[in-house]
Amino acid sequence: METEVKKKNEMWEWSKALLIAFGLAAIIRFFLFTPIVVDGESMMPTLEDGDRMIVNKIGYSVGEPDRFDIIVFHAPEKKDYIKRIIGLPGDHIAYEDDQLYINGEAIEEPYLDVYKQGITGTLTEDFDLVDVTGENTIPEGTIFVMGDNRRASKDSRHIGLVSTDEVIGDTSFVFWPLAEAGIVK
């Protein structure tokens, strides 16, 4: 009889431990961090198609987006996109002769240097924020995003400005494939 009670207590303890573990996993998954798979080539060479990453969902709850952060957001096509923040509220963005200008100042993009090698012509075609979005500066509550593979990226040049309410979080850690695991810039 005592053994039967002991087995029931042990079963109850295991059940509680499993419920707590699943509850914590769900909280972490839905509110703090979530995995995502890179789909497509728009962020090459920084990110490869099929890379698996961790998205930090709490970063922008306590802070503001930073220029050049890699973020995940809900795109108009009912799909999540991974892109790099180029412009913040109040910025004027322009490209001329493959050079990024923010508020008239030339800005370096070292993460594109590898991709610019061996291509013919420019990586990023000339454009001005006004021509792309109709805005002279990026309004509050929105950001301008671009993929690193500028020739094959559907980004703010095509879908317009991204509302900060649509941003899921930032990502900078690839966990799979193991050969590529680590922090990306």
Side-chain angles (χ1 to χ4, degrees), residues 10-46:
E10 187 175 328
M11 187 68 121
W12 172 243
E13 291 301 318
W14 274 105
S15 297
K16 283 194 313 188
L18 286 173
L19 283 172
I20 291 170
F22 284 126
L24 286 174
I27 289 169
I28 290 169
R29 167 78 165 78
F30 291 110
F31 297 109
L32 303 177
F33 303 98
T34 191
I36 193 165
V37 178
V38 176
D39 181 21
E41 300 177 350
S42 73
M43 283 298 292
M44 285 180 60
T46 308

XYZ file of all heavy atoms in Angstrom, residues 10-46:
297
model
N 5.190 10.081 -6.700
C 6.279 10.250 -7.665
C 5.713 10.647 -9.036
O 6.248 11.522 -9.705
C 7.073 8.948 -7.773
C 8.314 9.085 -8.632
C 9.155 7.818 -8.635
O 9.187 7.104 -7.620
O 9.791 7.578 -9.674
N 4.605 9.995 -9.433
C 3.968 10.319 -10.702
C 3.475 11.768 -10.695
O 3.632 12.491 -11.677
C 2.799 9.360 -10.946
C 2.194 9.520 -12.303
S 3.351 8.977 -13.531
C 2.381 7.721 -14.265
N 2.880 12.198 -9.583
C 2.393 13.571 -9.448
C 3.552 14.561 -9.529
O 3.461 15.590 -10.191
C 1.604 13.733 -8.153
C 1.234 15.159 -7.849
C 1.625 15.894 -6.787
C 0.404 16.012 -8.649
N 1.112 17.164 -6.870
C 0.346 17.262 -8.015
C -0.280 15.849 -9.840
C -0.370 18.336 -8.513
C -0.990 16.926 -10.341
C -1.036 18.148 -9.680
N 4.670 14.262 -8.900
C 5.845 15.141 -8.918
C 6.413 15.260 -10.335
O 6.759 16.349 -10.781
C 6.926 14.644 -7.948
C 6.545 14.774 -6.477
C 6.250 16.210 -6.067
O 6.989 17.129 -6.485
O 5.256 16.403 -5.334
N 6.487 14.137 -11.053
C 6.960 14.165 -12.432
C 6.010 14.973 -13.312
O 6.443 15.741 -14.171
C 7.121 12.747 -12.995
C 8.461 12.166 -12.676
C 8.742 11.216 -11.743
C 9.704 12.511 -13.273
N 10.085 10.941 -11.725
C 10.706 11.734 -12.666
C 10.079 13.402 -14.263
C 12.040 11.830 -13.024
C 11.410 13.486 -14.620
C 12.377 12.701 -13.999
N 4.725 14.788 -13.129
C 3.721 15.531 -13.904
C 3.855 17.027 -13.659
O 3.820 17.824 -14.599
C 2.303 15.073 -13.543
O 2.119 13.723 -13.871
N 4.022 17.439 -12.414
C 4.198 18.857 -12.089
C 5.463 19.408 -12.745
O 5.450 20.498 -13.320
C 4.264 19.069 -10.573
C 2.934 19.010 -9.884
C 2.941 19.548 -8.460
C 4.064 19.048 -7.616
N 3.948 19.423 -6.190
N 6.553 18.637 -12.655
C 7.825 19.082 -13.240
C 7.690 19.266 -14.753
O 8.164 20.260 -15.318
C 8.937 18.091 -12.921
N 7.022 18.321 -15.422
C 6.823 18.434 -16.867
C 5.931 19.615 -17.221
O 6.205 20.339 -18.189
C 6.242 17.137 -17.434
C 7.229 15.973 -17.526
C 6.504 14.693 -17.948
C 8.342 16.296 -18.510
N 4.864 19.838 -16.472
C 3.975 20.975 -16.722
C 4.713 22.301 -16.556
O 4.558 23.216 -17.369
C 2.760 20.927 -15.795
C 1.677 19.931 -16.174
C 0.626 19.843 -15.058
C 1.034 20.313 -17.486
N 5.516 22.396 -15.529
C 6.306 23.609 -15.297
C 7.307 23.815 -16.442
O 7.452 24.915 -16.965
C 7.016 23.561 -13.928
C 5.970 23.674 -12.815
C 8.068 24.657 -13.810
C 6.509 23.392 -11.423
N 7.974 22.727 -16.856
C 8.957 22.830 -17.945
C 8.291 23.280 -19.241
O 8.797 24.173 -19.932
C 9.665 21.489 -18.147
N 7.154 22.673 -19.587
C 6.447 23.069 -20.806
C 5.931 24.506 -20.698
O 5.963 25.258 -21.665
C 5.286 22.117 -21.111
C 5.741 20.804 -21.694
C 5.346 19.606 -21.116
C 6.553 20.756 -22.807
C 5.752 18.394 -21.643
C 6.969 19.552 -23.347
C 6.573 18.363 -22.759
N 5.462 24.891 -19.525
C 4.986 26.263 -19.312
C 6.105 27.272 -19.489
O 5.924 28.297 -20.165
N 7.257 26.993 -18.914
C 8.409 27.897 -19.069
C 8.863 27.966 -20.521
O 9.169 29.051 -21.030
C 9.561 27.449 -18.173
C 9.400 27.729 -16.684
C 10.541 27.098 -15.896
C 9.344 29.224 -16.426
N 8.892 26.813 -21.189
C 9.286 26.795 -22.600
C 8.318 27.632 -23.440
O 8.740 28.388 -24.324
C 9.340 25.359 -23.125
N 7.036 27.525 -23.166
C 6.036 28.305 -23.912
C 6.209 29.800 -23.656
O 6.144 30.611 -24.596
C 4.634 27.857 -23.540
N 6.430 30.185 -22.419
C 6.631 31.600 -22.084
C 7.866 32.144 -22.800
O 7.827 33.212 -23.412
C 6.742 31.792 -20.555
C 5.370 31.578 -19.920
C 7.302 33.165 -20.211
C 5.398 31.489 -18.405
N 8.961 31.397 -22.755
C 10.194 31.828 -23.417
C 9.966 31.937 -24.917
O 10.328 32.928 -25.548
C 11.354 30.854 -23.098
C 11.756 31.017 -21.630
C 12.543 31.087 -24.028
C 12.699 29.948 -21.116
N 9.324 30.937 -25.515
C 9.094 30.889 -26.964
C 8.195 32.029 -27.449
O 8.451 32.649 -28.472
C 8.479 29.533 -27.323
C 7.885 29.410 -28.704
C 8.988 29.231 -29.739
N 8.499 28.769 -31.014
C 7.894 29.526 -31.910
N 7.656 30.784 -31.660
N 7.525 29.032 -33.070
N 7.127 32.320 -26.740
C 6.159 33.302 -27.215
C 6.443 34.734 -26.779
O 6.005 35.668 -27.431
C 4.738 32.898 -26.811
C 4.262 31.675 -27.535
C 4.104 30.481 -26.866
C 4.016 31.713 -28.893
C 3.680 29.339 -27.531
C 3.597 30.584 -29.582
C 3.429 29.389 -28.891
N 7.185 34.916 -25.690
C 7.375 36.266 -25.176
C 8.819 36.755 -25.179
O 9.051 37.958 -25.184
C 6.824 36.386 -23.756
C 5.345 36.147 -23.679
C 4.855 34.991 -23.101
C 4.456 37.057 -24.199
C 3.487 34.758 -23.040
C 3.096 36.842 -24.151
C 2.607 35.683 -23.567
N 9.804 35.867 -25.174
C 11.190 36.301 -25.056
C 12.026 36.042 -26.306
O 12.591 36.961 -26.884
C 11.841 35.631 -23.842
C 11.153 35.855 -22.498
C 11.853 35.078 -21.408
C 11.103 37.331 -22.164
N 12.133 34.797 -26.705
C 12.964 34.411 -27.837
C 12.208 33.406 -28.693
O 11.434 32.621 -28.171
C 14.272 33.758 -27.368
C 15.080 34.620 -26.462
C 15.028 34.453 -25.091
C 15.890 35.617 -26.977
C 15.765 35.249 -24.246
C 16.634 36.421 -26.133
C 16.576 36.235 -24.771
N 12.469 33.434 -29.998
C 11.849 32.467 -30.895
C 12.818 32.136 -32.021
O 13.594 33.000 -32.434
C 10.509 33.002 -31.454
O 9.819 31.958 -32.096
C 10.717 34.141 -32.406
N 12.796 30.917 -32.510
C 13.655 30.585 -33.651
C 13.008 31.027 -34.956
O 11.788 31.160 -35.048
C 13.742 29.050 -33.574
C 12.471 28.635 -32.923
C 12.104 29.752 -31.970
N 13.835 31.276 -35.950
C 13.344 31.613 -37.293
C 14.313 31.034 -38.312
O 15.514 30.912 -38.031
C 13.175 33.138 -37.483
C 12.382 33.413 -38.750
C 14.504 33.843 -37.473
C 11.843 34.822 -38.849
N 13.795 30.678 -39.466
C 14.615 30.151 -40.554
C 14.696 31.209 -41.649
O 13.674 31.752 -42.069
C 14.009 28.850 -41.130
C 14.850 28.339 -42.290
C 13.879 27.784 -40.045
N 15.898 31.515 -42.095
C 16.097 32.472 -43.180
C 15.561 31.828 -44.458
O 15.948 30.716 -44.815
C 17.593 32.843 -43.345
C 17.794 33.754 -44.540
C 18.122 33.474 -42.073
N 14.650 32.534 -45.119
C 14.011 32.020 -46.327
C 14.351 32.940 -47.495
O 13.829 34.044 -47.597
C 12.492 31.956 -46.119
C 11.755 31.406 -47.320
O 12.389 30.721 -48.147
O 10.544 31.662 -47.431
N 15.271 32.503 -48.346
C 15.648 33.301 -49.499
C 17.065 33.839 -49.398
O 17.784 33.582 -48.443
N 17.430 34.618 -50.404
C 18.805 35.099 -50.543
C 18.937 36.604 -50.339
O 19.969 37.185 -50.655
C 19.333 34.711 -51.922
C 19.340 33.208 -52.139
C 19.794 32.808 -53.528
O 19.919 33.695 -54.402
O 20.028 31.619 -53.728
N 17.910 37.264 -49.810
C 17.935 38.727 -49.721
C 18.950 39.274 -48.722
O 19.289 40.447 -48.784
C 16.545 39.268 -49.386
O 16.220 39.004 -48.048
N 19.439 38.447 -47.804
C 20.422 38.937 -46.830
C 21.823 38.369 -47.074
O 22.709 38.523 -46.237
C 19.963 38.601 -45.405
C 18.870 39.502 -44.888
S 19.342 41.236 -44.761
C 20.552 41.184 -43.447
N 22.014 37.697 -48.220
C 23.353 37.192 -48.521
C 24.311 38.357 -48.717
O 23.884 39.397 -49.193
C 23.315 36.327 -49.787
C 22.700 34.967 -49.555
S 22.660 33.977 -51.063
C 24.372 33.871 -51.494
N 25.559 38.260 -48.409
C 26.260 37.104 -47.875
C 26.210 37.013 -46.349
O 26.717 36.077 -45.772
C 27.688 37.324 -48.354
C 27.844 38.817 -48.320
C 26.487 39.361 -48.711
N 25.581 37.986 -45.697
C 25.522 37.984 -44.233
C 24.799 36.751 -43.720
O 25.275 36.090 -42.796
C 24.826 39.261 -43.718
O 25.455 40.398 -44.295
C 24.888 39.339 -42.210
